[in-house]
Amino acid sequence: MTHGYTTGIPYQRGPEPQPAPAPAAGARRPGGRDRYLDLLRSMALVRVVVYHLFGWAWLTVLFPSMGVMFALAGSLMARSLKRPALGVIRGRVRRLLPPLWAFSAVALALMFAGGWNPVKDPDHGGTWGVVDLINYVIPIGAPPFPWHIGSKSGLLEDTWAVQACGPLWYLRAYLWFVVASPLLLWAFRRVPWATLLAPLALTAIVGTGLVSIPGETGNAVTDFAVYGGCWVLGFAHHEGVLQRIPRYAAVSCSALLMAFGLWWASGHLGPDGWDLNDIPLAQATWSFGFVVILLQYSPSWQELPGRLAKWDKLVTLSNNRAVTIYLWHNMLIMATVPIIDQAYDLPFMQSDRAVAALDSSYMLWMFLLVWPLIGLVILGFGWIEDIAAKRGARLWPNGGQ
């Protein structure tokens, strides 16, 4: 695994207007984007790419990207739900699907060209594998893909399809959160604490083996439970509920919850050790506490301050192309391998010392190369996000003139 209110007041002539008071910390200024939240989204995307490249388990502890991304999406969703719910859901789905279709067309073409036949794939139930292809069009479930395709000696390793399509779980979870948001927001406004904590309680049931739900249904329910608290925290941030809690109380309780998550993880380490993606209850509690602290300290910037300002264009670009970056990054990580492998055939690489130097720095070269490849995909496919959002197509929307 890897994988969002104004009132009209009649004008009356009155005394000379006074300067508006500065907004409270965490309050959303009317108009424009909250650059603090944009920065968090950019950091989350970079962390996802680095994690999928290097596989460092400790990154899931250092910065729980998926929890952060779901919280930010939940906040934006709460903001949008001042409009009729059906129209909001339709708009969110419309923005999601066309970028997915572009990715799916390329991924499926490569899988079919590699000889994959979903009807004959024993891992996907024969004919049902064909039916499951609908998830490449509308991600209501898990899309099928071959666990092994091609040859280990080919341009790409034979597990490339798993790695390329595995992150699509995020789109499934996002879609279900979007569909459930009107009901979740209604519940949050009436019983906020119960709605906030219910996903953690559900994770304690389905994410610990206490109750086992088999297959992809179980995975979907677990994902919904693990990240549901973060999504509802986005509601709490937008509604101002978090800001009404004393900071010392919010941080103290979050620290205790995060400590519990680490304690639980220490006794339930998965195949990759401290990788919280393999430990649902630890992931849920650690992400929840982490997000509370991030949103409690939310300064609601209209512009990135100080030294952060030099990253403004990249932050703007990554937010405008977040879906494209997330969809394609894993495939592009694998695409770096056949490109770098060409270096072994260069004339000055025909010595043991040169080969050893490239071997030892191989991951670094992958890291350096994946970013220009992401840039090329942004140029080639990113404009689809604009069309999906009913905006004019832009090749490089970084806020520059």
Side-chain angles (χ1 to χ4, degrees):
M1 286 194 304
T2 63
H3 331 134
Y5 296 163
T6 59
T7 57
I9 301 177
Y11 173 77
Q12 294 179 341
R13 185 180 298 278
E16 187 72 12
Q18 301 298 315
R28 177 178 290 278
R29 291 181 175 92
R33 294 184 64 93
D34 188 325
R35 299 301 279 166
Y36 175 72
L37 300 187
D38 286 348
L39 178 63
L40 291 181
R41 185 178 292 105
S42 296
M43 292 173 60
L45 284 169
V46 171
R47 204 284 278 158
V48 166
V49 175
V50 173
Y51 168 78
H52 283 148
L53 174 58
F54 293 101
W56 293 330
W58 53 267
L59 284 174
T60 63
V61 178
L62 178 66
F63 194 86
S65 283
M66 305 316 297
V68 172
M69 290 171 67
F70 280 119
L72 300 180
S75 180
L76 291 175
M77 191 67 186
R79 181 186 183 189
S80 297
L81 281 173
K82 65 180 184 291
R83 305 192 302 271
L86 187 60
V88 173
I89 293 173
R90 186 167 56 244
R92 286 282 185 263
V93 173
R94 187 188 65 240
R95 292 185 179 204
L96 180 69
L97 294 186
L100 171 64
W101 295 340
F103 172 82
S104 297
V106 173
L108 286 172
L110 291 174
M111 285 187 276
F112 293 150
W116 180 56
N117 184 342
V119 175
K120 298 180 180 179
D121 189 335
D123 295 322
H124 297 284
T127 303
W128 281 110
V130 177
V131 176
D132 283 343
L133 290 176
I134 191 65
N135 291 301
Y136 283 103
V137 180
I138 304 175
I140 56 177
F145 45 77
W147 287 93
H148 298 278
I149 185 171
S151 169
K152 291 184 178 180
S153 59
L155 284 178
L156 296 175
E157 61 178 282
D158 64 345
T159 60
W160 72 263
V162 178
Q163 298 180 60
C165 300
L168 294 183
W169 72 267
Y170 171 77
L171 276 70
R172 174 189 66 194
Y174 176 86
L175 178 62
W176 285 114
F177 278 130
V178 165
V179 172
S181 281
L183 178 60
L184 286 175
L185 186 58
W186 176 86
F188 175 76
R189 287 172 173 168
R190 285 155 181 78
V191 281
W193 290 109
T195 309
L196 262 178
L197 299 178
L200 295 180
L202 181 59
T203 305
I205 295 172
V206 301
T208 62
L210 186 62
V211 172
S212 181
I213 303 175
E216 283 302 324
T217 300
N219 291 335
V221 171
T222 300
D223 292 338
F224 194 91
V226 168
Y227 297 107
C230 293
W231 187 274
V232 179
L233 279 174
F235 293 172
H237 174 259
H238 178 267
E239 300 281 293
V241 172
L242 287 181
Q243 285 67 47
R244 293 197 292 269
I245 303 172
R247 181 169 291 176
Y248 74 88
V251 173
S252 299
C253 292
S254 295
L256 289 174
L257 188 63
M258 294 165 72
F260 168 81
L262 293 183
W263 170 80
W264 180 265
S266 68
H268 300 82
L269 299 180
D272 296 316
W274 284 85
D275 192 326
L276 299 187
N277 291 318
D278 299 327
I279 316 169
L281 185 58
Q283 177 75 283
T285 51
W286 179 264
S287 297
F288 188 97
F290 198 98
V291 167
V292 167
I293 294 173
L294 285 179
L295 296 183
Q296 263 284 340
Y297 282 88
S298 175
S300 192
W301 296 322
Q302 285 186 318
E303 296 179 356
L304 294 176
R307 294 182 179 179
L308 291 174
K310 65 182 180 182
W311 300 101
D312 183 81
K313 289 185 177 180
L314 286 177
V315 169
T316 300
L317 178 66
S318 61
N319 275 267
N320 283 324
R321 294 294 180 259
V323 176
T324 299
I325 294 170
Y326 183 83
L327 280 170
W328 291 89
H329 77 276
N330 241 20
M331 184 179 290
L332 298 177
I333 287 173
M334 289 175 289
T336 64
V337 173
I339 297 174
I340 297 173
D341 281 352
Q342 301 304 308
Y344 288 104
D345 296 327
L346 295 174
F348 58 83
M349 289 295 299
Q350 304 310 306
S351 69
D352 292 342
R353 184 175 181 179
V355 170
L358 182 55
D359 287 345
S360 63
S361 59
Y362 202 98
M363 298 299 293
L364 176 60
W365 286 110
M366 291 177 67
F367 175 77
L368 295 175
L369 184 57
V370 74
W371 301 107
L373 291 181
I374 288 174
L376 289 175
V377 164
I378 287 174
L379 289 172
F381 296 96
W383 55 269
I384 297 174
E385 291 194 55
D386 293 327
I387 302 301
K390 295 186 175 180
R391 297 189 298 257
R394 300 165 294 172
L395 288 179
W396 197 256
N398 65 351
Q401 300 298 323

